[in-house]
Amino acid sequence: MTDTTTQQATAAASGAAATEQFRGKQRTEAAEVDTKRVDTLVTELLAATHDIIRRHQVTYAEYDALKTWLIQVGADGEWPLFLDVWLERVVEEVANASREGSKGTIEGPYYVPDSPRLPAEAALPMRDGEGGTALLFQGQVRSLHGTPLAGATVEMWQADNDGLYSQFAPGLPEWNLRGTVVVDDQGGFRIHTIQPAPYQIPTDGSCGTLIRAAGWHAWRPAHLHLKVAAPGHQLVTTQLYFQGGAHVSDDIATAVKPELILDPTPVADGTGREVTYDFVLDKA
Ligand code: DHB
Ligand code: FE
């Protein structure tokens, strides 16, 4: 074990980092949600909950267990984790229902903007001797009409071979396995990285408590995170998974789609694996 992995990744530390990251991000303004919408959505959410309480004859003991747990989710900073694992996929489904180009899926809590910019062929920043099978991830960014999008960027972030994300687990270099690749004049990119390991959401905080109480497991399949952008086109936020990998068919976040499964092949010189995946972006 290297000294970067001797420090424990804790739910409290990654929860605090994910909470801080979310507060700093400007995906939308809370003020955009109007009173009528809040009234409708919260009224229906409460009515659905009331209905569950009646149908299942929820007891005071269960109500107090829920209250204790909800208080602890906040104390642990695990709201970003909880929401992105169990709700985000449906928000993404609704947001991108009419998209014709490449499929998206959840962003998750571990995106950090402004990663180092890299040329069209580049290795993601990584440590000397970074663990894991080498992976060459290559492809082209095109419009719906097949035009190469020369101005595109392919932003990638991923866990390492221990399932840890830089800036959310201790001891990793700041931008480890994070980068923003600027495609070439044919929309092409060749990114040298490593195949990530399956990822277990932190189990020592409230999400872990819930998972144990319900008899579930905490695993997401190994995945690459991507944001692909080009001027005049819709940004795609997605993840790519690996054929035959553990938990591809029982992802705790239910974020796998058939179009998002890669099947890399061994590189002829025996140095690792490679796969080609093209992105098609809808017009903005
Ligand atoms: C979570 C982690 C991920 O890496 C991801 O892609 C989605 C969700 C999580 O821990 O909530
Ligand atoms: Fe992830």
Side-chain angles (χ1 to χ4, degrees), residues 80-82 84-85 88 106-110 165 199-202 220 223 225 239 241 253:
L81 179 71
F82 175 82
D84 293 350
V85 167
E88 190 193 349
I106 66 172
E107 177 174 314
Y110 299 144
Y165 285 89
Y199 166 84
Q200 191 175 26
I201 74 161
R220 300 215 59 224
H223 56 277
H225 287 272
Q239 299 185 14
Y241 306 91

